[in-house]
């Protein structure tokens, strides 16, 4: 019989440190406040609504996830944020334009209390933005220390027991791993030397991981996904998750593609285009930031289809992804997919998908879940990369030499089996022979 893992109780307040107070962050914060007051339901959140089957199908045991593992409750959450703009979270939510003003007004006093601390920001990494609320410091090490002060002050002011940090800042320009990213020591030297290989998101990640604060990256930029910060996380026993929230079009891709592959239907082409009019869309209009996003969005199909195993079905797949900045749409992104399928005897077919989604409405429950699950991981002494949270990300972080798992259904099974493992319950293989023996 498996044994439950020792998990420290979720006592006291949990501070949620959000980097960037834009559409995703304000939709998360205002949503949690509204749900807390009973004005809305936490739709889309596994931690709030999900269940997990335990034991055999005949046992009828499907408790809520929050009943089997000790999660912080919504009442325990206290939000803090950094942004390059000074708007408090009410004003920022009005600018983002995702949640109706009538709903925002119901939680306005609480939102107005969340005023962003000055950010660590350098326009070199996010070309389309410029703002006044930015820290000054002799080098990036000094800036990381200043973030540490913000964190300690926030903890003391709100008498917090624990904290987690989620990067909900803009997508930074495309970067790859370099020498400065290899060890903790080379990384710290690079911070002091103001090395351009260290973008702002890495400074935040370093400030969190150094303190043992779990860190997740909601955007596709490298951030904590480098050997130096993974090594630091091992030293400080810090859980990590990322990258790039799996919302709109990629969510649908990782729902559809595993189904097509399961039936061994070939795919010759997958053309995806989006129009988006929020600030994220504006940032992604810069080719260097778009490249980061494009890499993240494109890797999904290669891993799901495994063309090396199925060359007749997927070796010639032409996969194109476009995002066009179109201000009239705001956060209400519209995505079109054209999928060119191949069936029996090579006969072509097509699927057209037109998804009128709301980006941040899909993203907010993920930010909430990731924050709560990372806090759980920390209390369960699970540190380093949390592969069981791949479910939430377009480019799941993974150990070197392992390929990431993109199939949404395998990801969900992995997540729920991790919860069963924590609880000391039998893992579910779906073999099912026991019902017929
Ligand atoms: N909305 C989604 O569905 C979704 C899905 C996947 C990924 N993302 C990613 O999440 C991130 C946030 O998305 P959004 O729609 O909220 O964008 P947004 O532009 O509304 O908000 C980002 C905020 O981050 C701030 N910022 C940028 N650099 C910063 C820094 N160094 N320090 C502090 N603040 C900084 C900006 O000023 C802005 O207010 C983006 O990178 C986006 O690509 C969003």
């Amino acid at each position: 019989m498996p044994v439950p893992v020792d998990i420290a109780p979720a006592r006291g307040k949990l501070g949620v440190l959000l980097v960037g107070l834009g559409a995703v962050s304000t939709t998360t914060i205002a949503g949690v406040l509204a749900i807390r007051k009973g004005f809305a339901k936490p739709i889309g959140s596994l931690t709030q609504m999900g269940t997990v089957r335990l034991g055999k199908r005949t046992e009828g045991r499907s408790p809520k996830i929050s009943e089997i593992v000790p999660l912080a409750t919504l009442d325990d959450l206290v939000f803090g944020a950094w942004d390059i703009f000074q708007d408090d979270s009410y004003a920022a939510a009005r600018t983002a334009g995702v949640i109706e003003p009538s709903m925002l007004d119901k939680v306005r006093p609480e939102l107005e209390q969340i005023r962003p601390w000055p950010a660590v920001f350098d326009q070199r990494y996010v070309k389309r933005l410029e703002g006044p609320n930015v820290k000054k410091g002799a080098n990036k090490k000094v800036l990381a220390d200043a973030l540490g002060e913000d964190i300690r002050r926030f903890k003391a002011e709100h008498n917090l027991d624990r904290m987690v940090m989620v990067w909900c800042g803009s997508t930074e320009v495309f970067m790859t791993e370099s020498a400065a990213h290899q060890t903790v020591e080379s990384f710290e030297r690079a911070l002091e030397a103001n090395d351009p290989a260290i973008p702002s998101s890495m400074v935040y990640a370093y400030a969190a991981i150094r303190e043992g604060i779990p860190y997740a990256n909601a955007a596709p930029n490298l951030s904590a996904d480098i050997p130096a910060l993974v090594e630091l996380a091992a030293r400080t026993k810090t859980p990590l998750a990322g990258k790039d929230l799996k919302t709109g079009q990629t969510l649908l891709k990782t729902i559809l593609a595993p189904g097509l592959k399961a039936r061994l239907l070939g795919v010759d082409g997958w053309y995806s285009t989006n129009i988006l009019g929020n600030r994220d869309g504006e940032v992604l209009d810069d080719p260097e930031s778009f490249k980061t996003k494009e890499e993240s969005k494109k890797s999904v199909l290669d891993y799901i289809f495994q063309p090396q195993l199925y060359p007749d079905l997927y070796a010639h797949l032409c996969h194109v992804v476009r995002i066009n900045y179109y201000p009239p749409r705001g956060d209400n992104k519209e995505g079109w997919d054209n999928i060119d399928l191949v069936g029996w005897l090579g006969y072509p077919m097509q699927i057209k998908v037109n998804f009128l989604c709301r980006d941040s409405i899909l993203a907010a429950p993920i930010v909430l879940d990731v924050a709560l699950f990372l806090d759980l991981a920390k209390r369960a002494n699970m540190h380093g990369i949390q592969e069981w949270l791949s479910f939430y990300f377009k480019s799941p972080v993974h150990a070197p030499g392992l390929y990431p798992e993109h199939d949404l259904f395998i990801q969900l099974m992995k997540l729920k089996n991790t919860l069963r493992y924590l609880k000391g319950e039998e893992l579910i293989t779906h073999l099912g022979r026991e019902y017929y023996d």
Side-chain angles (χ1 to χ4, degrees), residues 20 22-24 82-85 119-121 167-171 200 204 218-219 244-245 247 279-280 293 359 363 394:
V24 172
W82 292 270
D83 204 290
I84 65 169
F85 300 107
V120 172
F121 180 77
W167 170 273
C168 294
S170 311
T171 301
S200 316
Y204 286 95
D244 205 7
L245 305 181
T247 54
R279 192 182 282 154
D280 186 30
K293 195 59 133 184
D359 241 18
K394 282 201 216 27

PDB file of all heavy atoms in Angstrom, residues 20 22-24 82-85 119-121 167-171 200 204 218-219 244-245 247 279-280 293 359 363 394, ligand 1:
ATOM      1  N   GLY A  20       4.237  42.181 -13.082  1.00  0.00           N
ATOM      2  CA  GLY A  20       3.374  42.706 -14.141  1.00  0.00           C
ATOM      3  C   GLY A  20       1.948  42.752 -13.626  1.00  0.00           C
ATOM      4  O   GLY A  20       1.429  41.760 -13.104  1.00  0.00           O
ATOM      5  N   GLY A  22      -0.859  43.545 -15.465  1.00  0.00           N
ATOM      6  CA  GLY A  22      -1.595  43.773 -16.706  1.00  0.00           C
ATOM      7  C   GLY A  22      -2.876  42.966 -16.735  1.00  0.00           C
ATOM      8  O   GLY A  22      -3.498  42.708 -15.694  1.00  0.00           O
ATOM      9  N   ALA A  23      -3.253  42.529 -17.945  1.00  0.00           N
ATOM     10  CA  ALA A  23      -4.548  41.872 -18.125  1.00  0.00           C
ATOM     11  C   ALA A  23      -4.644  40.564 -17.333  1.00  0.00           C
ATOM     12  O   ALA A  23      -5.632  40.328 -16.628  1.00  0.00           O
ATOM     13  CB  ALA A  23      -4.773  41.609 -19.616  1.00  0.00           C
ATOM     14  N   VAL A  24      -3.633  39.721 -17.441  1.00  0.00           N
ATOM     15  CA  VAL A  24      -3.703  38.416 -16.769  1.00  0.00           C
ATOM     16  C   VAL A  24      -3.737  38.605 -15.248  1.00  0.00           C
ATOM     17  O   VAL A  24      -4.581  38.030 -14.552  1.00  0.00           O
ATOM     18  CB  VAL A  24      -2.505  37.519 -17.192  1.00  0.00           C
ATOM     19  CG1 VAL A  24      -2.456  36.253 -16.354  1.00  0.00           C
ATOM     20  CG2 VAL A  24      -2.608  37.167 -18.671  1.00  0.00           C
ATOM     21  N   TRP A  82       4.498  44.031  -9.092  1.00  0.00           N
ATOM     22  CA  TRP A  82       5.388  45.061  -9.634  1.00  0.00           C
ATOM     23  C   TRP A  82       4.886  45.430 -11.019  1.00  0.00           C
ATOM     24  O   TRP A  82       4.370  44.580 -11.743  1.00  0.00           O
ATOM     25  CB  TRP A  82       6.812  44.525  -9.813  1.00  0.00           C
ATOM     26  CG  TRP A  82       7.563  44.202  -8.572  1.00  0.00           C
ATOM     27  CD1 TRP A  82       8.369  45.035  -7.857  1.00  0.00           C
ATOM     28  CD2 TRP A  82       7.637  42.926  -7.913  1.00  0.00           C
ATOM     29  NE1 TRP A  82       8.933  44.359  -6.791  1.00  0.00           N
ATOM     30  CE2 TRP A  82       8.501  43.067  -6.807  1.00  0.00           C
ATOM     31  CE3 TRP A  82       7.049  41.667  -8.135  1.00  0.00           C
ATOM     32  CZ2 TRP A  82       8.804  42.023  -5.936  1.00  0.00           C
ATOM     33  CZ3 TRP A  82       7.339  40.622  -7.270  1.00  0.00           C
ATOM     34  CH2 TRP A  82       8.207  40.804  -6.181  1.00  0.00           C
ATOM     35  N   ASP A  83       5.020  46.690 -11.400  1.00  0.00           N
ATOM     36  CA  ASP A  83       4.769  47.048 -12.803  1.00  0.00           C
ATOM     37  C   ASP A  83       5.516  48.337 -13.119  1.00  0.00           C
ATOM     38  O   ASP A  83       5.820  49.132 -12.219  1.00  0.00           O
ATOM     39  CB  ASP A  83       3.271  47.207 -13.112  1.00  0.00           C
ATOM     40  CG  ASP A  83       2.982  46.986 -14.606  1.00  0.00           C
ATOM     41  OD1 ASP A  83       3.367  47.842 -15.440  1.00  0.00           O
ATOM     42  OD2 ASP A  83       2.413  45.933 -14.953  1.00  0.00           O
ATOM     43  N   ILE A  84       5.759  48.547 -14.382  1.00  0.00           N
ATOM     44  CA  ILE A  84       6.446  49.771 -14.820  1.00  0.00           C
ATOM     45  C   ILE A  84       5.474  50.953 -14.869  1.00  0.00           C
ATOM     46  O   ILE A  84       5.887  52.087 -15.001  1.00  0.00           O
ATOM     47  CB  ILE A  84       7.144  49.581 -16.185  1.00  0.00           C
ATOM     48  CG1 ILE A  84       6.121  49.333 -17.308  1.00  0.00           C
ATOM     49  CG2 ILE A  84       8.119  48.419 -16.124  1.00  0.00           C
ATOM     50  CD1 ILE A  84       6.737  49.398 -18.702  1.00  0.00           C
ATOM     51  N   PHE A  85       4.156  50.648 -14.773  1.00  0.00           N
ATOM     52  CA  PHE A  85       3.159  51.717 -14.674  1.00  0.00           C
ATOM     53  C   PHE A  85       2.676  51.801 -13.234  1.00  0.00           C
ATOM     54  O   PHE A  85       2.661  50.791 -12.518  1.00  0.00           O
ATOM     55  CB  PHE A  85       1.979  51.436 -15.614  1.00  0.00           C
ATOM     56  CG  PHE A  85       2.401  51.335 -17.055  1.00  0.00           C
ATOM     57  CD1 PHE A  85       2.429  50.111 -17.708  1.00  0.00           C
ATOM     58  CD2 PHE A  85       2.805  52.469 -17.753  1.00  0.00           C
ATOM     59  CE1 PHE A  85       2.859  50.014 -19.030  1.00  0.00           C
ATOM     60  CE2 PHE A  85       3.233  52.377 -19.090  1.00  0.00           C
ATOM     61  CZ  PHE A  85       3.254  51.147 -19.724  1.00  0.00           C
ATOM     62  N   ALA A 119       9.359  48.559 -10.793  1.00  0.00           N
ATOM     63  CA  ALA A 119       9.785  47.325 -11.465  1.00  0.00           C
ATOM     64  C   ALA A 119      11.279  47.317 -11.767  1.00  0.00           C
ATOM     65  O   ALA A 119      11.921  48.369 -11.838  1.00  0.00           O
ATOM     66  CB  ALA A 119       9.012  47.202 -12.776  1.00  0.00           C
ATOM     67  N   VAL A 120      11.798  46.119 -11.973  1.00  0.00           N
ATOM     68  CA  VAL A 120      13.110  45.970 -12.605  1.00  0.00           C
ATOM     69  C   VAL A 120      12.815  45.817 -14.089  1.00  0.00           C
ATOM     70  O   VAL A 120      12.158  44.856 -14.495  1.00  0.00           O
ATOM     71  CB  VAL A 120      13.837  44.713 -12.070  1.00  0.00           C
ATOM     72  CG1 VAL A 120      15.099  44.447 -12.869  1.00  0.00           C
ATOM     73  CG2 VAL A 120      14.140  44.876 -10.590  1.00  0.00           C
ATOM     74  N   PHE A 121      13.234  46.797 -14.862  1.00  0.00           N
ATOM     75  CA  PHE A 121      12.824  46.806 -16.273  1.00  0.00           C
ATOM     76  C   PHE A 121      13.916  47.404 -17.135  1.00  0.00           C
ATOM     77  O   PHE A 121      14.571  48.362 -16.733  1.00  0.00           O
ATOM     78  CB  PHE A 121      11.535  47.634 -16.430  1.00  0.00           C
ATOM     79  CG  PHE A 121      11.027  47.702 -17.844  1.00  0.00           C
ATOM     80  CD1 PHE A 121      10.352  46.612 -18.401  1.00  0.00           C
ATOM     81  CD2 PHE A 121      11.226  48.834 -18.639  1.00  0.00           C
ATOM     82  CE1 PHE A 121       9.888  46.654 -19.721  1.00  0.00           C
ATOM     83  CE2 PHE A 121      10.763  48.886 -19.956  1.00  0.00           C
ATOM     84  CZ  PHE A 121      10.085  47.793 -20.482  1.00  0.00           C
ATOM     85  N   TRP A 167       5.589  35.152 -12.884  1.00  0.00           N
ATOM     86  CA  TRP A 167       5.889  36.182 -13.880  1.00  0.00           C
ATOM     87  C   TRP A 167       4.685  36.291 -14.818  1.00  0.00           C
ATOM     88  O   TRP A 167       4.392  35.364 -15.577  1.00  0.00           O
ATOM     89  CB  TRP A 167       7.144  35.824 -14.689  1.00  0.00           C
ATOM     90  CG  TRP A 167       7.364  36.735 -15.879  1.00  0.00           C
ATOM     91  CD1 TRP A 167       6.831  36.574 -17.123  1.00  0.00           C
ATOM     92  CD2 TRP A 167       8.136  37.945 -15.931  1.00  0.00           C
ATOM     93  NE1 TRP A 167       7.224  37.613 -17.946  1.00  0.00           N
ATOM     94  CE2 TRP A 167       8.017  38.462 -17.245  1.00  0.00           C
ATOM     95  CE3 TRP A 167       8.901  38.649 -14.996  1.00  0.00           C
ATOM     96  CZ2 TRP A 167       8.651  39.635 -17.642  1.00  0.00           C
ATOM     97  CZ3 TRP A 167       9.529  39.824 -15.408  1.00  0.00           C
ATOM     98  CH2 TRP A 167       9.408  40.309 -16.704  1.00  0.00           C
ATOM     99  N   CYS A 168       3.953  37.415 -14.706  1.00  0.00           N
ATOM    100  CA  CYS A 168       2.851  37.714 -15.633  1.00  0.00           C
ATOM    101  C   CYS A 168       3.219  38.980 -16.388  1.00  0.00           C
ATOM    102  O   CYS A 168       2.353  39.766 -16.779  1.00  0.00           O
ATOM    103  CB  CYS A 168       1.542  37.915 -14.874  1.00  0.00           C
ATOM    104  SG  CYS A 168       0.945  36.437 -14.067  1.00  0.00           S
ATOM    105  N   GLY A 169       4.504  39.204 -16.527  1.00  0.00           N
ATOM    106  CA  GLY A 169       4.991  40.376 -17.260  1.00  0.00           C
ATOM    107  C   GLY A 169       4.992  40.085 -18.751  1.00  0.00           C
ATOM    108  O   GLY A 169       4.715  38.965 -19.200  1.00  0.00           O
ATOM    109  N   SER A 170       5.344  41.111 -19.509  1.00  0.00           N
ATOM    110  CA  SER A 170       5.326  41.001 -20.974  1.00  0.00           C
ATOM    111  C   SER A 170       6.342  39.961 -21.457  1.00  0.00           C
ATOM    112  O   SER A 170       7.310  39.664 -20.765  1.00  0.00           O
ATOM    113  CB  SER A 170       5.688  42.352 -21.586  1.00  0.00           C
ATOM    114  OG  SER A 170       4.903  43.355 -20.981  1.00  0.00           O
ATOM    115  N   THR A 171       6.102  39.473 -22.654  1.00  0.00           N
ATOM    116  CA  THR A 171       7.028  38.522 -23.283  1.00  0.00           C
ATOM    117  C   THR A 171       8.306  39.257 -23.693  1.00  0.00           C
ATOM    118  O   THR A 171       8.251  40.225 -24.459  1.00  0.00           O
ATOM    119  CB  THR A 171       6.367  37.896 -24.526  1.00  0.00           C
ATOM    120  OG1 THR A 171       5.172  37.238 -24.092  1.00  0.00           O
ATOM    121  CG2 THR A 171       7.276  36.896 -25.195  1.00  0.00           C
ATOM    122  N   SER A 200      15.318  41.126 -17.420  1.00  0.00           N
ATOM    123  CA  SER A 200      14.643  41.462 -16.148  1.00  0.00           C
ATOM    124  C   SER A 200      13.982  40.234 -15.517  1.00  0.00           C
ATOM    125  O   SER A 200      14.031  40.054 -14.302  1.00  0.00           O
ATOM    126  CB  SER A 200      13.573  42.529 -16.387  1.00  0.00           C
ATOM    127  OG  SER A 200      14.072  43.537 -17.223  1.00  0.00           O
ATOM    128  N   TYR A 204      14.063  38.793 -11.403  1.00  0.00           N
ATOM    129  CA  TYR A 204      12.946  38.454 -10.502  1.00  0.00           C
ATOM    130  C   TYR A 204      13.035  36.983 -10.077  1.00  0.00           C
ATOM    131  O   TYR A 204      12.849  36.650  -8.904  1.00  0.00           O
ATOM    132  CB  TYR A 204      11.603  38.661 -11.204  1.00  0.00           C
ATOM    133  CG  TYR A 204      11.173  40.094 -11.380  1.00  0.00           C
ATOM    134  CD1 TYR A 204      11.432  40.778 -12.561  1.00  0.00           C
ATOM    135  CD2 TYR A 204      10.469  40.755 -10.376  1.00  0.00           C
ATOM    136  CE1 TYR A 204      11.003  42.084 -12.744  1.00  0.00           C
ATOM    137  CE2 TYR A 204      10.033  42.063 -10.564  1.00  0.00           C
ATOM    138  CZ  TYR A 204      10.309  42.726 -11.741  1.00  0.00           C
ATOM    139  OH  TYR A 204       9.885  44.016 -11.919  1.00  0.00           O
ATOM    140  N   ALA A 218       4.567  32.587 -16.531  1.00  0.00           N
ATOM    141  CA  ALA A 218       3.355  32.525 -17.370  1.00  0.00           C
ATOM    142  C   ALA A 218       3.633  32.923 -18.813  1.00  0.00           C
ATOM    143  O   ALA A 218       2.764  32.809 -19.667  1.00  0.00           O
ATOM    144  CB  ALA A 218       2.286  33.444 -16.777  1.00  0.00           C
ATOM    145  N   ALA A 219       4.842  33.417 -19.086  1.00  0.00           N
ATOM    146  CA  ALA A 219       5.197  33.884 -20.429  1.00  0.00           C
ATOM    147  C   ALA A 219       6.238  32.929 -21.025  1.00  0.00           C
ATOM    148  O   ALA A 219       6.780  32.082 -20.320  1.00  0.00           O
ATOM    149  CB  ALA A 219       5.744  35.306 -20.326  1.00  0.00           C
ATOM    150  N   ASP A 244       4.816  29.750 -20.318  1.00  0.00           N
ATOM    151  CA  ASP A 244       3.807  30.214 -21.260  1.00  0.00           C
ATOM    152  C   ASP A 244       2.463  29.502 -21.056  1.00  0.00           C
ATOM    153  O   ASP A 244       2.283  28.362 -21.503  1.00  0.00           O
ATOM    154  CB  ASP A 244       4.302  29.991 -22.705  1.00  0.00           C
ATOM    155  CG  ASP A 244       3.636  30.943 -23.679  1.00  0.00           C
ATOM    156  OD1 ASP A 244       2.917  31.844 -23.228  1.00  0.00           O
ATOM    157  OD2 ASP A 244       3.849  30.794 -24.903  1.00  0.00           O
ATOM    158  N   LEU A 245       1.547  30.188 -20.438  1.00  0.00           N
ATOM    159  CA  LEU A 245       0.247  29.581 -20.123  1.00  0.00           C
ATOM    160  C   LEU A 245      -0.409  29.008 -21.368  1.00  0.00           C
ATOM    161  O   LEU A 245      -0.432  29.651 -22.428  1.00  0.00           O
ATOM    162  CB  LEU A 245      -0.689  30.632 -19.514  1.00  0.00           C
ATOM    163  CG  LEU A 245      -0.169  31.365 -18.281  1.00  0.00           C
ATOM    164  CD1 LEU A 245      -1.218  32.349 -17.783  1.00  0.00           C
ATOM    165  CD2 LEU A 245       0.217  30.394 -17.186  1.00  0.00           C
ATOM    166  N   THR A 247      -3.390  28.658 -23.104  1.00  0.00           N
ATOM    167  CA  THR A 247      -4.766  29.169 -23.152  1.00  0.00           C
ATOM    168  C   THR A 247      -5.276  28.972 -24.582  1.00  0.00           C
ATOM    169  O   THR A 247      -5.009  27.941 -25.160  1.00  0.00           O
ATOM    170  CB  THR A 247      -4.808  30.642 -22.690  1.00  0.00           C
ATOM    171  OG1 THR A 247      -3.869  31.387 -23.464  1.00  0.00           O
ATOM    172  CG2 THR A 247      -4.447  30.775 -21.225  1.00  0.00           C
ATOM    173  N   ARG A 279      -2.443  44.854 -24.668  1.00  0.00           N
ATOM    174  CA  ARG A 279      -1.041  45.292 -24.577  1.00  0.00           C
ATOM    175  C   ARG A 279      -0.094  44.136 -24.920  1.00  0.00           C
ATOM    176  O   ARG A 279       0.967  44.332 -25.499  1.00  0.00           O
ATOM    177  CB  ARG A 279      -0.772  45.829 -23.165  1.00  0.00           C
ATOM    178  CG  ARG A 279       0.550  46.561 -23.064  1.00  0.00           C
ATOM    179  CD  ARG A 279       0.808  47.041 -21.652  1.00  0.00           C
ATOM    180  NE  ARG A 279       0.067  48.239 -21.313  1.00  0.00           N
ATOM    181  CZ  ARG A 279      -0.276  48.560 -20.067  1.00  0.00           C
ATOM    182  NH1 ARG A 279       0.038  47.775 -19.054  1.00  0.00           N
ATOM    183  NH2 ARG A 279      -0.943  49.672 -19.823  1.00  0.00           N
ATOM    184  N   ASP A 280      -0.521  42.920 -24.569  1.00  0.00           N
ATOM    185  CA  ASP A 280       0.271  41.736 -24.928  1.00  0.00           C
ATOM    186  C   ASP A 280       0.429  41.674 -26.449  1.00  0.00           C
ATOM    187  O   ASP A 280       1.522  41.420 -26.973  1.00  0.00           O
ATOM    188  CB  ASP A 280      -0.457  40.486 -24.393  1.00  0.00           C
ATOM    189  CG  ASP A 280       0.334  39.202 -24.568  1.00  0.00           C
ATOM    190  OD1 ASP A 280       1.580  39.277 -24.553  1.00  0.00           O
ATOM    191  OD2 ASP A 280      -0.297  38.139 -24.702  1.00  0.00           O
ATOM    192  N   LYS A 293       7.446  33.932 -28.641  1.00  0.00           N
ATOM    193  CA  LYS A 293       6.108  33.339 -28.604  1.00  0.00           C
ATOM    194  C   LYS A 293       5.962  32.277 -29.691  1.00  0.00           C
ATOM    195  O   LYS A 293       5.408  31.204 -29.462  1.00  0.00           O
ATOM    196  CB  LYS A 293       5.095  34.464 -28.804  1.00  0.00           C
ATOM    197  CG  LYS A 293       3.679  34.155 -28.461  1.00  0.00           C
ATOM    198  CD  LYS A 293       3.482  33.735 -27.025  1.00  0.00           C
ATOM    199  CE  LYS A 293       2.364  34.382 -26.314  1.00  0.00           C
ATOM    200  NZ  LYS A 293       2.250  34.043 -24.921  1.00  0.00           N
ATOM    201  N   ASP A 359      -8.648  35.884 -23.802  1.00  0.00           N
ATOM    202  CA  ASP A 359      -7.349  35.398 -23.368  1.00  0.00           C
ATOM    203  C   ASP A 359      -7.179  35.349 -21.855  1.00  0.00           C
ATOM    204  O   ASP A 359      -6.810  34.326 -21.290  1.00  0.00           O
ATOM    205  CB  ASP A 359      -6.286  36.328 -23.944  1.00  0.00           C
ATOM    206  CG  ASP A 359      -5.346  35.578 -24.846  1.00  0.00           C
ATOM    207  OD1 ASP A 359      -5.729  34.473 -25.277  1.00  0.00           O
ATOM    208  OD2 ASP A 359      -4.247  36.083 -25.094  1.00  0.00           O
ATOM    209  N   ALA A 363      -6.695  32.570 -18.890  1.00  0.00           N
ATOM    210  CA  ALA A 363      -5.403  32.537 -18.182  1.00  0.00           C
ATOM    211  C   ALA A 363      -5.549  32.623 -16.660  1.00  0.00           C
ATOM    212  O   ALA A 363      -4.789  31.990 -15.915  1.00  0.00           O
ATOM    213  CB  ALA A 363      -4.527  33.688 -18.677  1.00  0.00           C
ATOM    214  N   LYS A 394       2.317  25.965 -22.383  1.00  0.00           N
ATOM    215  CA  LYS A 394       2.578  25.684 -23.798  1.00  0.00           C
ATOM    216  C   LYS A 394       3.955  25.070 -24.007  1.00  0.00           C
ATOM    217  O   LYS A 394       4.154  24.295 -24.928  1.00  0.00           O
ATOM    218  CB  LYS A 394       2.591  27.005 -24.593  1.00  0.00           C
ATOM    219  CG  LYS A 394       1.261  27.615 -24.913  1.00  0.00           C
ATOM    220  CD  LYS A 394       1.480  28.554 -26.088  1.00  0.00           C
ATOM    221  CE  LYS A 394       0.699  29.822 -26.116  1.00  0.00           C
ATOM    222  NZ  LYS A 394       0.206  30.514 -25.016  1.00  0.00           N
TER     223      LYS A 394
HETATM  224  N1  LIG B   1      -3.520  36.061 -21.640  1.00  0.00           N
HETATM  225  C1  LIG B   1      -3.135  34.870 -21.987  1.00  0.00           C
HETATM  226  O1  LIG B   1      -3.956  34.036 -22.306  1.00  0.00           O
HETATM  227  C2  LIG B   1      -1.713  34.495 -21.974  1.00  0.00           C
HETATM  228  C3  LIG B   1      -1.397  33.212 -22.348  1.00  0.00           C
HETATM  229  C4  LIG B   1      -0.080  32.799 -22.331  1.00  0.00           C
HETATM  230  C5  LIG B   1       0.904  33.698 -21.948  1.00  0.00           C
HETATM  231  N2  LIG B   1       0.591  34.967 -21.631  1.00  0.00           N
HETATM  232  C6  LIG B   1       1.681  35.852 -21.295  1.00  0.00           C
HETATM  233  O2  LIG B   1       1.452  36.422 -20.038  1.00  0.00           O
HETATM  234  C7  LIG B   1       2.068  37.697 -20.004  1.00  0.00           C
HETATM  235  C8  LIG B   1       1.063  38.712 -19.495  1.00  0.00           C
HETATM  236  O3  LIG B   1       0.004  38.829 -20.432  1.00  0.00           O
HETATM  237  P1  LIG B   1      -1.005  40.052 -20.317  1.00  0.00           P
HETATM  238  O4  LIG B   1      -2.076  39.809 -21.321  1.00  0.00           O
HETATM  239  O5  LIG B   1      -1.353  40.281 -18.896  1.00  0.00           O
HETATM  240  O6  LIG B   1      -0.086  41.226 -20.830  1.00  0.00           O
HETATM  241  P2  LIG B   1      -0.177  42.780 -20.400  1.00  0.00           P
HETATM  242  O7  LIG B   1       0.640  43.490 -21.404  1.00  0.00           O
HETATM  243  O8  LIG B   1      -1.583  43.197 -20.173  1.00  0.00           O
HETATM  244  O9  LIG B   1       0.545  42.805 -18.969  1.00  0.00           O
HETATM  245  C9  LIG B   1       1.909  42.654 -18.806  1.00  0.00           C
HETATM  246  C10 LIG B   1       2.330  43.700 -17.793  1.00  0.00           C
HETATM  247  O10 LIG B   1       3.700  43.434 -17.458  1.00  0.00           O
HETATM  248  C11 LIG B   1       4.317  44.686 -17.250  1.00  0.00           C
HETATM  249  N3  LIG B   1       5.760  44.467 -17.328  1.00  0.00           N
HETATM  250  C12 LIG B   1       6.520  44.243 -18.418  1.00  0.00           C
HETATM  251  N4  LIG B   1       7.802  44.056 -18.054  1.00  0.00           N
HETATM  252  C13 LIG B   1       7.846  44.158 -16.705  1.00  0.00           C
HETATM  253  C14 LIG B   1       8.880  44.071 -15.737  1.00  0.00           C
HETATM  254  N5  LIG B   1      10.138  43.825 -16.111  1.00  0.00           N
HETATM  255  N6  LIG B   1       8.551  44.214 -14.441  1.00  0.00           N
HETATM  256  C15 LIG B   1       7.269  44.466 -14.061  1.00  0.00           C
HETATM  257  N7  LIG B   1       6.251  44.582 -14.931  1.00  0.00           N
HETATM  258  C16 LIG B   1       6.547  44.427 -16.239  1.00  0.00           C
HETATM  259  C17 LIG B   1       3.729  45.568 -18.318  1.00  0.00           C
HETATM  260  O11 LIG B   1       3.881  46.924 -17.989  1.00  0.00           O
HETATM  261  C18 LIG B   1       2.277  45.114 -18.321  1.00  0.00           C
HETATM  262  O12 LIG B   1       1.471  45.901 -17.464  1.00  0.00           O
HETATM  263  C19 LIG B   1       2.552  37.997 -21.422  1.00  0.00           C
HETATM  264  O13 LIG B   1       3.921  37.685 -21.503  1.00  0.00           O
HETATM  265  C20 LIG B   1       1.770  37.022 -22.244  1.00  0.00           C
HETATM  266  O14 LIG B   1       2.439  36.669 -23.437  1.00  0.00           O
HETATM  267  C21 LIG B   1      -0.710  35.392 -21.627  1.00  0.00           C
END
